[in-house]
Amino acid sequence: MPLVPGVAITNSFREIVDRNTISGVIRAVDAIIIAGSIGAGVVIGTSLCRLIFEWIGG
Amino acid sequence: MHVLIEFIVSLASTVGFGLITNIPRRSLLPAGITGSTAWTVYYLVLQVNHGLILSNFCAAIIIGILGNISAVLFKVPVNIIYVPSLVSLVPGGILYLGMRSFTLGQESRTSEYLFNTLTIAIALAVGFVVAEVIFYRIKPLLIKWLQTRKISG
Protein backbone atom coordinates (compact mmCIF):
# COMPACT_ATOMS: atom_id res chain seq x y z
CA MET A 1 0.00 0.00 0.00
CA PRO A 2 2.80 2.59 0.44
CA LEU A 3 3.72 1.97 -3.20
CA VAL A 4 0.29 2.65 -4.62
CA PRO A 5 -0.66 6.27 -5.50
CA GLY A 6 -3.93 6.62 -3.60
CA VAL A 7 -2.96 9.69 -1.58
CA ALA A 8 -1.60 11.31 -4.76
CA ILE A 9 -4.88 10.93 -6.62
CA THR A 10 -6.94 12.25 -3.70
CA ASN A 11 -4.59 15.24 -3.34
CA SER A 12 -4.87 15.88 -7.06
CA PHE A 13 -8.66 16.06 -6.87
CA ARG A 14 -8.38 18.32 -3.83
CA GLU A 15 -6.14 20.65 -5.81
CA ILE A 16 -8.48 20.63 -8.81
CA VAL A 17 -11.41 21.53 -6.55
CA ASP A 18 -9.26 24.27 -4.95
CA ARG A 19 -8.81 25.74 -8.49
CA ASN A 20 -5.09 24.86 -8.70
CA THR A 21 -5.95 23.13 -11.95
CA ILE A 22 -2.55 22.60 -13.57
CA SER A 23 -0.88 21.22 -10.44
CA GLY A 24 -3.83 18.90 -9.84
CA VAL A 25 -3.87 17.60 -13.41
CA ILE A 26 -0.12 16.96 -13.32
CA ARG A 27 -0.49 15.04 -10.05
CA ALA A 28 -3.37 12.98 -11.48
CA VAL A 29 -1.39 12.06 -14.61
CA ASP A 30 1.57 11.13 -12.40
CA ALA A 31 -0.64 8.89 -10.23
CA ILE A 32 -2.17 7.17 -13.27
CA ILE A 33 1.28 6.53 -14.77
CA ILE A 34 2.51 5.07 -11.46
CA ALA A 35 -0.55 2.81 -11.19
CA GLY A 36 -0.11 1.64 -14.79
CA SER A 37 3.55 0.85 -14.15
CA ILE A 38 2.69 -1.15 -11.04
CA GLY A 39 -0.02 -3.10 -12.88
CA ALA A 40 2.20 -3.79 -15.88
CA GLY A 41 5.05 -4.88 -13.62
CA VAL A 42 2.84 -7.32 -11.72
CA VAL A 43 1.49 -8.79 -14.96
CA ILE A 44 4.97 -9.16 -16.48
CA GLY A 45 6.26 -10.78 -13.28
CA THR A 46 3.36 -13.23 -13.17
CA SER A 47 3.75 -14.32 -16.79
CA LEU A 48 7.54 -14.61 -16.43
CA CYS A 49 7.08 -16.77 -13.33
CA ARG A 50 4.58 -18.99 -15.15
CA LEU A 51 7.00 -19.35 -18.07
CA ILE A 52 9.89 -20.30 -15.79
CA PHE A 53 7.81 -22.81 -13.85
CA GLU A 54 6.61 -24.47 -17.06
CA TRP A 55 10.21 -24.63 -18.27
CA ILE A 56 11.41 -26.21 -15.01
CA GLY A 57 8.49 -28.55 -14.52
CA GLY A 58 8.62 -29.80 -18.09
CA MET B 1 -17.15 -5.01 19.86
CA HIS B 2 -16.44 -4.99 16.13
CA VAL B 3 -16.41 -1.21 16.24
CA LEU B 4 -13.82 -1.24 19.05
CA ILE B 5 -11.59 -3.64 17.10
CA GLU B 6 -11.88 -1.49 13.96
CA PHE B 7 -10.99 1.60 16.04
CA ILE B 8 -7.88 0.06 17.58
CA VAL B 9 -6.58 -1.49 14.37
CA SER B 10 -7.09 1.68 12.33
CA LEU B 11 -5.34 3.67 15.08
CA ALA B 12 -2.37 1.33 14.81
CA SER B 13 -2.42 1.64 11.01
CA THR B 14 -2.53 5.43 11.07
CA VAL B 15 0.28 5.70 13.63
CA GLY B 16 2.37 3.28 11.59
CA PHE B 17 1.94 5.27 8.41
CA GLY B 18 2.78 8.39 10.38
CA LEU B 19 6.04 6.74 11.40
CA ILE B 20 6.74 5.82 7.76
CA THR B 21 6.17 9.36 6.53
CA ASN B 22 8.30 10.85 9.37
CA ILE B 23 5.73 13.23 10.85
CA PRO B 24 6.79 15.00 14.10
CA ARG B 25 6.39 13.00 17.28
CA ARG B 26 3.97 15.46 18.89
CA SER B 27 1.47 15.05 16.03
CA LEU B 28 1.53 11.24 16.02
CA LEU B 29 -1.30 10.74 18.51
CA PRO B 30 -3.72 13.37 17.07
CA ALA B 31 -3.17 11.95 13.58
CA GLY B 32 -3.92 8.48 14.92
CA ILE B 33 -7.09 9.58 16.67
CA THR B 34 -8.24 11.49 13.56
CA GLY B 35 -7.65 8.54 11.27
CA SER B 36 -9.28 5.99 13.55
CA THR B 37 -12.34 8.19 14.16
CA ALA B 38 -12.73 8.66 10.42
CA TRP B 39 -12.42 4.93 9.78
CA THR B 40 -14.98 4.18 12.53
CA VAL B 41 -17.41 6.66 10.99
CA TYR B 42 -16.80 5.06 7.58
CA TYR B 43 -17.53 1.62 9.03
CA LEU B 44 -20.70 2.75 10.81
CA VAL B 45 -22.06 4.58 7.76
CA LEU B 46 -21.28 1.54 5.63
CA GLN B 47 -23.53 -0.55 7.89
CA VAL B 48 -26.45 1.77 7.15
CA ASN B 49 -25.83 2.69 3.52
CA HIS B 50 -24.13 0.30 1.11
CA GLY B 51 -22.85 3.01 -1.18
CA LEU B 52 -19.38 4.26 -1.94
CA ILE B 53 -20.15 7.95 -1.91
CA LEU B 54 -21.81 8.70 1.44
CA SER B 55 -19.40 6.74 3.64
CA ASN B 56 -16.28 8.27 2.10
CA PHE B 57 -17.86 11.70 2.19
CA CYS B 58 -18.65 11.48 5.94
CA ALA B 59 -15.18 10.14 6.70
CA ALA B 60 -13.57 12.98 4.74
CA ILE B 61 -15.65 15.56 6.64
CA ILE B 62 -14.50 14.05 9.96
CA ILE B 63 -10.85 14.02 8.81
CA GLY B 64 -11.08 17.63 7.63
CA ILE B 65 -12.59 19.02 10.84
CA LEU B 66 -10.49 17.01 13.31
CA GLY B 67 -7.33 17.50 11.25
CA ASN B 68 -7.75 21.27 11.11
CA ILE B 69 -8.49 21.46 14.85
CA SER B 70 -5.47 19.37 15.80
CA ALA B 71 -3.32 21.34 13.35
CA VAL B 72 -4.21 24.50 15.26
CA LEU B 73 -3.79 22.86 18.67
CA PHE B 74 -0.50 21.07 18.04
CA LYS B 75 1.08 23.63 15.67
CA VAL B 76 1.75 21.42 12.63
CA PRO B 77 0.71 21.85 8.96
CA VAL B 78 -2.64 20.32 8.03
CA ASN B 79 -1.21 18.00 5.38
CA ILE B 80 0.86 16.23 8.03
CA ILE B 81 -2.37 15.18 9.74
CA TYR B 82 -4.17 14.48 6.45
CA VAL B 83 -1.77 12.09 4.77
CA PRO B 84 -1.49 9.27 7.36
CA SER B 85 -5.13 9.43 8.34
CA LEU B 86 -6.20 9.30 4.70
CA VAL B 87 -4.25 6.16 3.87
CA SER B 88 -6.88 3.70 5.05
CA LEU B 89 -9.61 5.37 2.95
CA VAL B 90 -7.83 6.15 -0.27
CA PRO B 91 -8.60 4.20 -3.48
CA GLY B 92 -5.07 2.99 -4.22
CA GLY B 93 -5.77 -0.72 -4.24
CA ILE B 94 -8.73 -0.38 -6.58
CA LEU B 95 -6.63 1.81 -8.90
CA TYR B 96 -3.97 -0.89 -8.99
CA LEU B 97 -6.56 -3.62 -9.68
CA GLY B 98 -8.06 -1.52 -12.47
CA MET B 99 -4.70 -0.93 -14.08
CA ARG B 100 -3.86 -4.65 -13.81
CA SER B 101 -7.08 -5.66 -15.53
CA PHE B 102 -6.39 -2.91 -18.11
CA THR B 103 -3.07 -4.57 -18.85
CA LEU B 104 -4.72 -7.99 -19.05
CA GLY B 105 -7.34 -6.59 -21.44
CA GLN B 106 -10.48 -7.19 -19.32
CA GLU B 107 -12.57 -4.22 -20.35
CA SER B 108 -15.68 -4.47 -18.17
CA ARG B 109 -13.66 -5.01 -14.97
CA THR B 110 -11.36 -2.14 -15.89
CA SER B 111 -14.23 0.27 -16.33
CA GLU B 112 -15.83 -0.86 -13.04
CA TYR B 113 -12.63 -0.44 -11.02
CA LEU B 114 -11.66 2.89 -12.57
CA PHE B 115 -15.19 4.23 -12.08
CA ASN B 116 -15.09 3.22 -8.40
CA THR B 117 -11.70 4.92 -8.03
CA LEU B 118 -12.97 8.13 -9.57
CA THR B 119 -16.10 8.08 -7.39
CA ILE B 120 -14.16 7.60 -4.14
CA ALA B 121 -11.55 10.25 -5.02
CA ILE B 122 -14.16 12.86 -5.91
CA ALA B 123 -16.18 12.06 -2.76
CA LEU B 124 -13.08 12.52 -0.59
CA ALA B 125 -12.13 15.80 -2.29
CA VAL B 126 -15.62 17.28 -1.96
CA GLY B 127 -15.75 16.13 1.68
CA PHE B 128 -12.52 18.01 2.38
CA VAL B 129 -13.89 21.17 0.82
CA VAL B 130 -17.09 20.94 2.89
CA ALA B 131 -15.02 20.32 6.04
CA GLU B 132 -12.90 23.37 5.36
CA VAL B 133 -16.03 25.48 4.94
CA ILE B 134 -17.33 24.19 8.30
CA PHE B 135 -13.95 24.79 9.94
CA TYR B 136 -13.88 28.34 8.60
CA ARG B 137 -16.94 28.93 10.83
CA ILE B 138 -15.55 27.35 13.99
CA LYS B 139 -11.98 28.70 13.72
CA PRO B 140 -12.67 32.05 15.52
CA LEU B 141 -14.31 30.18 18.41
CA LEU B 142 -11.30 27.88 18.68
CA ILE B 143 -8.80 30.74 18.65
CA LYS B 144 -10.83 32.66 21.25
CA TRP B 145 -10.96 29.55 23.45
CA LEU B 146 -7.21 29.09 23.11
CA GLN B 147 -6.52 32.70 24.12
CA THR B 148 -8.77 32.54 27.19
CA ARG B 149 -7.12 29.30 28.23
CA LYS B 150 -3.66 30.81 27.78
CA ILE B 151 -4.57 33.87 29.89
CA SER B 152 -6.19 31.88 32.68
CA GLY B 153 -3.57 29.12 32.67
Side-chain angles (χ1 to χ4, degrees), chain A:
Chain A
M1 280 305 261
L3 217 59
V4 131
V7 179
I9 207 162
T10 308
N11 276 336
S12 85
F13 276 103
R14 255 180 59 213
E15 283 179 356
I16 290 174
V17 172
D18 272 347
R19 284 188 294 175
N20 297 327
T21 315
I22 293 179
S23 161
V25 169
I26 287 172
R27 215 179 277 266
V29 170
D30 205 13
I32 289 172
I33 287 174
I34 290 174
S37 323
I38 291 174
V42 167
V43 169
I44 288 173
T46 309
S47 54
L48 210 66
C49 231
R50 192 179 298 144
L51 212 69
I52 289 174
F53 281 149
E54 279 181 1
W55 182 59
I56 290 175

Side-chain angles (χ1 to χ4, degrees), chain B residues 9-30:
Chain B
V9 173
S10 59
L11 190 123
S13 141
T14 309
V15 171
F17 270 101
L19 286 176
I20 285 178
T21 52
N22 271 330
I23 67 173
R25 289 282 181 273
R26 64 177 187 279
S27 64
L28 217 52
L29 192 63

Side-chain angles (χ1 to χ4, degrees), chain B residues 104-121:
Chain B
L104 290 173
Q106 301 163 343
E107 293 171 6
S108 61
R109 252 194 216 175
T110 305
S111 60
E112 182 190 339
Y113 283 137
L114 290 186
F115 183 75
N116 282 350
T117 307
L118 204 65
T119 311
I120 295 175

